[in-house]
Amino acid sequence: MKQKKVIALLAVAAMTVGLFSGCGSGSGDEKKSGGKEKITLWMPTFAATDAKVTDEEFWGEKMEAFGKENNCEVKVEIIPWDNYEEKYLTGTTSDDGPDVGYMYMEMFYDYIDMGALTDIDEYFTDEEKENYLYYELGNIQEGQYALPVVVGNPRILVANMDLLKEAGIDKIPTNWDELVSACKKIKESNPNVAPFLQDWGNPHYGSLNEIYWPYFWGAGGEIVDEEGNLTIDSKEGLEATKFLYSLKEQGILPDSCTSNDDVLQPFKNGEAAMAVLASSNALTVGDKVNWDFQPLIEGPEKAQTFVAADSLVMFEKCENKELAAKLMKYITSAEVMSDFHKTVSEQPPITKDETYSGDERFAELFSDYGDNFVSLPVFKGASSLYDTLYKNLQSMMLGEMTPEEVLKQTTEYYNTNLK
């Protein structure tokens, strides 16, 4: 199956060669058509579907300004999340990828291992490095292969306070027991509302960041050990997995959760009392819902939740690395990031010279809870492992696998096919 998938991806890559200008594609004349250097940037979608400014519009305007200042042309492509990794794989294998791109931690190991990414440290001065708040997070596998650009967006528990009050609840749950107790009360007071909602029908394993990892870490689980060995099949991992399955068994999670691919809209519509959301998504709920949030849901061992540590990368095949580095610095500048955080996606500053301009309720989120935020580790086969785990967990929620089988079979698959 794995071989067939690779062949299929390579076929797709072959068919798409020439559609986009990339770091290794095109002749010298094409790369400098009209006397202008050409460079390609790939970014993901962040703007909400009902936002006033789209990702295409925002980055198009910024790249036009950069192009004029540097006598170059930046081709921007916005990549949807649902086929993000496949797009990068086909682009890389067909020499049709970007010069500068955006990656999350799950993707890094394989691209570093295949020599596709550039160690960018030499392109940054000590003064520039000092201005970045999270520069060291980009040091992966003994090289500075990443420039952190979105460090934040912690997953938080949001609650419709009106629905909670109707059930006689005056505060948001802070731990597993309180969550279950509150959900039972809400279910009794308002059976037409989902007391708690998760998107087990989402096609992408990225949903694990909301619906699994905070509980896994809260139980004391570790994804890999210091040697990179997978350690999810543990008593801690089993405790978290059983807890989530129990939410479905008790009817706290509605049966529809296995086909549901979104929790934000149902929460906005008042159809769900509580859900775990990215902090930036929580702010899109608006004023129609009287909502509040709890940064952490404490588990049996600790209180931890997922935080993004996504970065810009430069591909090794990029012909003009100096220009690519300049583009990376421009994108992460206080001027551009401040505008991005205000108009596209609210996130905390990534440089010392940017002032926090977000919602006041999140102003102290990192200073007060930063030690409880965890990003995913970098290890071999991470993306495939997460995808396999997620599919097995989905099967569990459908009643087709037990929690024990999920962890055991996922570990066996990883050790046999990915390690």
Side-chain angles (χ1 to χ4, degrees):
M1 182 179 293
K2 185 177 180 181
Q3 184 180 18
K4 290 180 179 179
K5 183 176 181 180
V6 172
I7 292 173
L9 289 174
L10 290 174
V12 172
M15 289 187 289
T16 57
V17 169
L19 291 178
F20 308 102
S21 60
C23 48
S25 63
S27 65
D29 290 338
E30 290 173 329
K31 296 292 286 183
K32 292 187 177 182
S33 176
K36 289 186 177 182
E37 189 82 14
K38 289 190 175 182
I39 191 167
T40 305
L41 170 68
W42 284 8
M43 295 292 284
T45 54
F46 272 102
T49 54
D50 57 352
K52 295 180 180 179
V53 177
T54 66
D55 292 280
E56 289 86 349
E57 291 169 341
F58 180 85
W59 291 116
E61 178 184 337
K62 298 302 180 186
M63 291 308 106
E64 183 178 359
F66 179 83
K68 289 180 179 178
E69 183 177 339
N70 294 277
N71 191 34
C72 67
E73 180 182 335
V74 183
K75 180 176 178 59
V76 184
E77 184 172 359
I78 305 301
I79 313 297
W81 289 115
D82 57 359
N83 67 333
Y84 203 78
E85 292 176 37
E86 181 177 323
K87 180 69 175 180
Y88 267 81
L89 179 60
T90 56
T92 301
T93 55
S94 66
D95 289 344
D96 197 33
D99 295 300
V100 174
Y102 178 109
M103 284 189 176
Y104 39 86
M105 284 296 175
E106 301 94 302
M107 300 173 67
F108 272 101
Y109 185 95
D110 292 336
Y111 286 88
I112 294 172
D113 189 53
M114 71 175 70
L117 302 183
T118 298
D119 186 332
I120 61 174
D121 195 60
E122 65 178 285
Y123 299 101
F124 290 78
T125 66
D126 290 340
E127 183 179 358
E128 288 170 334
K129 296 174 190 177
E130 179 64 23
N131 187 44
Y132 287 104
L133 294 171
Y134 308 104
Y135 186 80
E136 70 283 354
L137 292 181
N139 194 281
I140 305 168
Q141 300 291 311
E142 301 181 350
Q144 189 71 32
Y145 293 106
L147 182 64
V149 63
V150 172
V151 181
N153 225 11
R155 275 35 176 188
I156 58 177
L157 176 64
V158 297
N160 184 318
M161 299 309 295
D162 291 335
L163 292 176
L164 263 63
K165 288 178 181 178
E166 287 179 15
I169 304 167
D170 58 4
K171 67 174 186 175
I172 305 174
T174 61
N175 58 53
W176 291 10
D177 290 340
E178 289 181 3
L179 178 64
V180 171
S181 176
C183 287
K184 289 180 177 179
K185 292 179 180 179
I186 294 168
K187 190 175 181 181
E188 290 178 3
S189 68
N190 198 334
N192 294 322
V193 169
F196 186 55
L197 195 57
Q198 293 184 320
D199 56 343
W200 286 101
N202 196 304
H204 195 271
Y205 66 77
S207 283
L208 292 172
N209 299 336
E210 291 87 34
I211 65 180
Y212 188 72
W213 295 129
Y215 310 93
F216 177 85
W217 290 323
E222 296 290 340
I223 300 175
V224 292
D225 61 21
E226 293 181 356
E227 287 74 41
N229 299 307
L230 189 67
T231 55
I232 62 170
D233 191 7
S234 62
K235 65 177 183 179
E236 295 85 1
L238 183 58
E239 185 172 13
T241 308
K242 282 185 172 180
F243 171 71
L244 290 169
Y245 186 55
S246 73
L247 298 182
K248 177 70 163 31
E249 285 186 308
Q250 297 177 72
I252 290 174
L253 288 174
D255 291 339
S256 61
C257 75
T258 55
S259 58
N260 180 47
D261 63 358
D262 174 56
V263 297
L264 179 58
Q265 197 59 49
F267 185 79
K268 286 183 176 181
N269 296 339
E271 300 167 5
M274 293 182 286
V276 174
L277 299 174
S279 59
S280 62
N281 285 337
L283 293 175
T284 69
V285 173
D287 299 328
K288 292 183 178 180
V289 174
N290 175 26
W291 68 276
D292 202 350
F293 77 100
Q294 168 60 235
L296 304 167
I297 309 174
E298 187 174 1
E301 294 295 325
K302 57 184 98 172
Q304 291 187 325
T305 192
F306 171 85
V307 69
D310 300 352
S311 302
L312 295 179
V313 298
M314 183 193 304
F315 279 83
E316 186 61 30
K317 293 178 182 179
C318 175
E319 295 179 5
N320 190 335
K321 291 183 172 58
E322 291 286 350
L323 181 60
K326 197 170 185 179
L327 176 60
M328 295 170 78
K329 295 175 187 179
Y330 172 73
I331 292 172
T332 55
S333 67
E335 178 185 359
V336 174
M337 281 289 98
S338 179
D339 196 10
F340 177 76
H341 296 154
K342 291 176 183 177
T343 61
V344 180
S345 179
E346 181 169 314
Q347 307 288 349
I350 58 170
T351 57
K352 294 178 180 178
D353 58 345
E354 181 188 352
T355 302
Y356 179 77
S357 59
D359 192 284
E360 290 184 2
R361 70 184 87 193
F362 291 160
E364 299 177 348
L365 197 54
F366 279 83
S367 60
D368 291 354
Y369 299 96
D371 292 340
N372 302 96
F373 296 156
V374 183
S375 59
L376 295 172
V378 175
F379 61 98
K380 185 177 181 180
S383 292
S384 296
L385 177 277
Y386 296 145
D387 186 57
T388 301
L389 172 63
Y390 184 48
K391 289 175 180 175
N392 287 341
L393 286 168
Q394 287 176 311
S395 294
M396 176 188 75
M397 286 300 191
L398 289 168
E400 299 169 354
M401 295 180 74
T402 65
E404 292 84 355
E405 289 172 338
V406 168
L407 299 179
K408 181 181 180 180
Q409 292 186 25
T410 301
T411 299
E412 289 177 349
Y413 178 82
Y414 178 81
N415 291 334
T416 301
N417 299 284
L418 303 174
K419 188 174 180 181

